[in-house]
Amino acid sequence: GMQSHLQALLSLYKLFCPEQVTITLPGKMKTYFKSSEGPWKAAITALRQRNQGASPLSQAVFLGTSQPQSRKRKWNAQFVIPASSTNTNNLEKDREKNHCNLYSTSESFPLEQLQTFPQLLQNIHRLEFPSQMGSVLTNPLLLHYMNCVKDESIYLRLYYWMGQMLQEECTWCVVDTLYEEEFKSFLESVYKAECFLQEGFSACEEFLYKTLPLWDGFCCRSEILRLVSWIPLSSFSDIKSYLYDPLAQLFFTSSVYFKCSVLESLKELLQNWLNCNVIQADSEFSS
């Protein structure tokens, strides 16, 4: 049968190669594998601090002699959205073919050369999504392509990447101002991508449902309420328990400004639901 450590290993495989793992894994699992970027993030942070002025703490982090701090005590350092780049597997194949012709219909078009919308239209039949799916969040051309392709595996890759980022990087506890600003920027990029696609991300929905009961209503307020406006329509029992009840506890104990912000977010949520239903009804009628 399925054991917790095996499920964690399969979820790690599914994060990088979702097409290789066809079974359904539970949404809530204990995290067995920490982010491999942790040492690099600590080294980069220590280097920045050293350039601004060396401190015993930064040197200890850089040398790996400092004691690890609990995730519940502070934010993690960096929220880096990767840049768009061609799949490395395809690059290796192209290097083996020295006579590669970029304008051949049998070859994929390098994402590094994708700069304009006409390029997207001319090469849409030979584009491939990048190896790091997070890069599509800040690339309007790839978001256009994502809207056209409607490939389930693409959304699955983005779901696992974004879910891992939000799960590992966010806690509603003692917040350092520097890290809060970086997290705000990350949530803002997610929100802009949702507005562009005119639909919410399922990983973002799960993140909100898990963290709203722990949210103080102040940290990243505008970003969180914007993400709330893109929660997809579901059953009333789920919406009430996961969304309305946590917001109600904050609503009745907060300022007038917060109350107005919540009402504005719920109004936008209703508008998004109506727009989605109208589009779906029109497509069913035309078919």
Side-chain angles (χ1 to χ4, degrees):
M2 293 296 292
Q3 301 179 27
S4 58
H5 56 277
L6 293 179
Q7 289 180 345
L9 184 61
L10 287 173
S11 67
L12 189 65
Y13 291 155
K14 201 162 188 175
L15 173 65
F16 293 99
C17 298
E19 70 279 359
Q20 300 295 332
V21 182
T22 58
I23 62 175
T24 301
L25 296 173
K28 297 181 179 180
M29 291 188 298
K30 181 180 178 181
T31 302
Y32 282 83
F33 303 97
K34 296 182 179 180
S35 175
S36 60
E37 298 178 355
W40 285 105
K41 291 180 179 179
I44 293 173
T45 302
L47 186 60
R48 288 176 176 171
Q49 293 176 353
R50 187 177 64 180
N51 292 336
Q52 297 174 357
S55 66
L57 176 61
S58 63
Q59 293 177 0
V61 172
F62 184 76
L63 296 175
T65 58
S66 62
Q67 294 296 325
Q69 297 183 2
S70 171
R71 286 183 177 272
K72 296 182 180 180
R73 300 296 300 173
K74 66 182 289 293
W75 293 84
N76 277 336
Q78 301 292 327
F79 295 89
V80 179
I81 297 178
S84 301
S85 60
T86 307
N87 191 306
T88 53
N89 293 332
N90 293 334
L91 283 178
E92 292 298 329
K93 294 178 182 178
D94 292 341
R95 286 169 184 164
E96 294 176 1
K97 301 177 182 179
N98 295 327
H99 58 281
C100 172
N101 181 8
L102 293 180
Y103 297 96
S104 172
T105 57
S106 61
E107 296 294 339
S108 60
F109 185 80
L111 292 178
E112 293 84 355
Q113 298 184 14
L114 184 62
Q115 302 294 332
T116 63
F117 192 76
Q119 280 183 322
L120 173 66
L121 296 180
Q122 294 172 4
N123 300 281
I124 196 169
H125 58 287
R126 55 195 188 101
L127 281 175
E128 289 188 6
F129 279 100
S131 55
Q132 293 180 295
M133 277 302 299
S135 62
V136 304
L137 291 180
T138 55
N139 192 318
L141 295 177
L142 290 181
L143 289 175
H144 272 301
Y145 184 47
M146 187 174 175
N147 246 345
C148 295
V149 174
K150 295 297 182 182
D151 187 351
E152 187 66 25
S153 64
I154 301 303
Y155 287 89
L156 192 61
R157 287 176 59 193
L158 193 59
Y159 164 78
Y160 278 103
W161 176 83
M162 189 181 300
Q164 187 184 40
M165 284 286 292
L166 293 171
Q167 177 183 354
E168 292 188 357
E169 304 293 349
C170 176
T171 53
W172 303 120
C173 293
V174 179
V175 178
D176 191 311
T177 304
L178 172 64
Y179 303 140
E180 180 183 350
E181 291 301 319
E182 291 180 349
F183 190 61
K184 282 182 178 180
S185 177
F186 177 72
L187 295 182
E188 184 69 20
S189 299
V190 174
Y191 169 72
K192 289 181 179 179
E194 288 182 331
C195 292
F196 191 97
L197 297 172
Q198 290 294 291
E199 61 179 322
F201 295 112
S202 55
C204 190
E205 177 190 9
E206 292 182 5
F207 163 73
L208 291 173
Y209 285 164
K210 290 178 182 178
T211 59
L212 280 179
L214 308 175
W215 185 43
D216 60 2
F218 178 77
C219 181
C220 305
R221 176 191 295 165
S222 60
E223 290 77 18
I224 291 298
L225 292 180
R226 285 176 181 176
L227 294 179
V228 165
S229 66
W230 282 109
I231 291 179
L233 180 63
S234 57
S235 64
F236 175 76
S237 60
D238 291 341
I239 291 292
K240 182 180 184 302
S241 59
Y242 294 124
L243 178 63
Y244 294 154
D245 290 347
L247 287 180
Q249 295 179 5
L250 295 170
F251 186 88
F252 293 114
T253 59
S254 299
S255 64
V256 176
Y257 177 78
F258 181 83
K259 290 181 172 64
C260 294
S261 301
V262 171
L263 293 177
E264 178 69 17
S265 176
L266 295 180
K267 185 198 75 170
E268 293 178 358
L269 176 63
L270 180 59
Q271 288 177 340
N272 292 332
W273 283 350
L274 293 175
N275 290 334
C276 291
N277 286 337
V278 167
I279 294 174
Q280 183 177 2
D282 289 344
S283 62
E284 292 177 353
F285 177 79
S286 60
S287 61

